[in-house]
Amino acid sequence: MLPRTHPSTTARRRVLGEAGGLCTARTRNADGDVVVCTLDAGHYDPNDKPPFKDGKPGGWHKADASIWNDLGAACIPHAAL
């Protein structure tokens, strides 16, 4: 197997943001500003929906008051290259 195709190489992890330990998911807020997730890499679980009444993110992405999943039109998933 070629090193560049191996799923856990340092270069691939760096592209995905995993090497630094941070999620790289992004979205846009109502003002059009780009918002980047501030949680650790690997946290995302689309089935772990947040209980919006207290603002905890569940398994979704979060940055300050923004909580989102990877399915929105303005979202760039954490695994996007």
Side-chain angles (χ1 to χ4, degrees):
M1 182 179 283
L2 296 173
R4 70 173 188 255
T5 63
H6 194 277
S8 62
T9 63
T10 301
R12 180 180 180 277
R13 288 169 44 86
R14 190 171 292 120
V15 168
L16 296 177
E18 297 168 1
L22 296 176
C23 181
T24 59
R26 292 171 282 170
T27 191
R28 291 194 180 271
N29 64 17
D31 295 331
D33 297 327
V34 173
V35 179
V36 179
C37 183
T38 58
L39 300 177
D40 292 335
H43 75 90
Y44 184 70
D45 178 358
N47 296 318
D48 186 4
K49 296 180 182 176
F52 289 102
K53 63 183 177 182
D54 63 10
K56 293 181 182 176
W60 290 14
H61 304 296
K62 180 175 175 126
D64 296 324
S66 298
I67 299 172
W68 72 96
N69 66 13
D70 285 343
L71 300 178
C75 297
I76 298 173
H78 64 284
L81 298 177

